[in-house]
Amino acid sequence: MIHVDVGSMKLMNGSHEPEVHQGAHGGSGSDEAVSSVRVVTWNIQFGVEVAAAAEALLHADELRSADIVLLQEMDEVGTESIARSVGLNHVFASSGVHTRTGRHFGNAVLSKWPLRDPDVVMLSHRSAVQGQDRIAVRATVSFGEFDVDACSVHTEVPSLSPPKRRRQFEEIAEATERWVPDRLIVGGDFNTLTARGATLVSQRMLRIGAARVSDGAGATLRRGGKEFVLDHVFARGLTPLGCGVVRGVGASDHRPLWVRLGI
């Protein structure tokens, strides 16, 4: 694993520099023509069941051979373990140590394709309960003839006030405007417990040309007998070809969400 100096990175609204790591266990490039990209986003609850998550990414029909994997609630050790097991390059960033686990708490972008230009967005408004910062982590995925910017997102839970949560959505959209890629994927856990919350973030992302390509995939969390759509994928410059969630995977309280996008 290579630790990356974040001093030259563009950080927004953060009081702490994030811990950032990179590793290379995937490919270094290919001349193979690519007509579609499969993206998986998955919140691995506190990054505990990484072996089970790696097994699912290797063998579940809808998850295996994913081009881009976006993970949340990870630490650097768990990210490295999944990347090594599945054969993926990765960028991981953490805003700090979680009070519950004593381990770093952050997001990762993984791909079997080369990754470059990692960037971190520190989201404003810490958790009112645990004092935890939230971040978005981005990297450019090189498919040879074209690039895709991929961003792994984890916004705060609804115990944060609606105006503060909306500000986090704004900061993610503002960051993607700063990157200005032709092809963009933003996915992760937006903690949208209600349809209104999902609509708010979708409307903001549409203003930068990124549509919710996971619309209709299904609920990503079941709790208290209720189903919730907490996780989403947005894309610009790519055509939605299909999406869904994978049920019955025991690696997390969240279900993995996948989308397939045409180039």
Side-chain angles (χ1 to χ4, degrees), residues 48-259:
V48 173
E49 298 291 343
V50 294
E55 185 73 10
L57 290 169
L58 280 169
H59 299 296
D61 288 342
E62 300 90 340
L63 307 181
R64 65 187 179 195
S65 300
D67 295 286
I68 298 171
V69 179
L70 309 175
L71 301 179
Q72 302 85 45
E73 296 202 17
M74 297 297 296
D75 64 15
E76 68 276 22
V77 176
T79 301
E80 166 75 11
S81 177
I82 289 176
R84 185 175 58 252
S85 297
V86 182
L88 302 172
N89 304 310
H90 72 273
V91 171
F92 166 81
S94 163
S95 61
V97 173
H98 198 282
T99 56
R100 179 169 172 178
T101 66
R103 294 182 286 107
H104 282 122
F105 183 82
N107 308 348
V109 177
L110 305 93
S111 180
K112 60 186 181 182
W113 300 88
L115 298 175
R116 70 171 194 274
D117 301 333
D119 198 1
V120 181
V121 178
M122 298 289 296
L123 302 180
S124 59
H125 307 304
R126 291 179 174 181
S127 166
V129 178
Q130 297 172 328
Q132 193 74 37
D133 285 313
R134 300 285 177 146
I135 62 174
V137 179
R138 163 262 196 181
T140 299
V141 186
S142 178
F143 287 88
E145 295 183 354
F146 64 92
D147 293 337
V148 175
D149 273 14
C151 184
S152 180
V153 170
H154 194 188
T155 64
E156 188 50 66
V157 299
S159 59
L160 195 68
S161 69
K164 291 179 178 180
R165 280 173 49 75
R166 286 196 295 271
R167 181 58 195 150
Q168 291 189 341
F169 298 159
E170 287 284 339
E171 288 167 346
I172 293 164
E174 288 166 2
T176 61
E177 288 180 303
R178 170 165 58 84
W179 298 325
V180 200
D182 293 331
R183 300 178 181 89
L184 170 70
I185 295 167
V186 179
D189 181 4
F190 289 82
N191 275 305
T192 49
L193 283 177
T194 65
R196 183 174 184 273
T199 298
L200 283 173
V201 67
S202 296
Q203 289 174 340
R204 183 59 185 92
M205 294 301 289
L206 273 175
R207 284 161 53 191
I208 62 162
R212 180 158 54 121
V213 292
S214 59
D215 191 18
T220 56
L221 180 77
R222 180 177 178 84
R223 184 163 294 170
K226 296 183 179 180
E227 301 272 304
F228 300 97
V229 182
L230 303 186
D231 306 84
H232 309 280
V233 178
F234 300 89
R236 177 175 65 207
L238 299 160
T239 303
L241 300 176
C243 62
V245 299
V246 180
R247 298 171 181 266
V249 178
S252 176
D253 56 344
H254 284 244
R255 297 163 182 154
L257 168 66
W258 63 270
V259 300

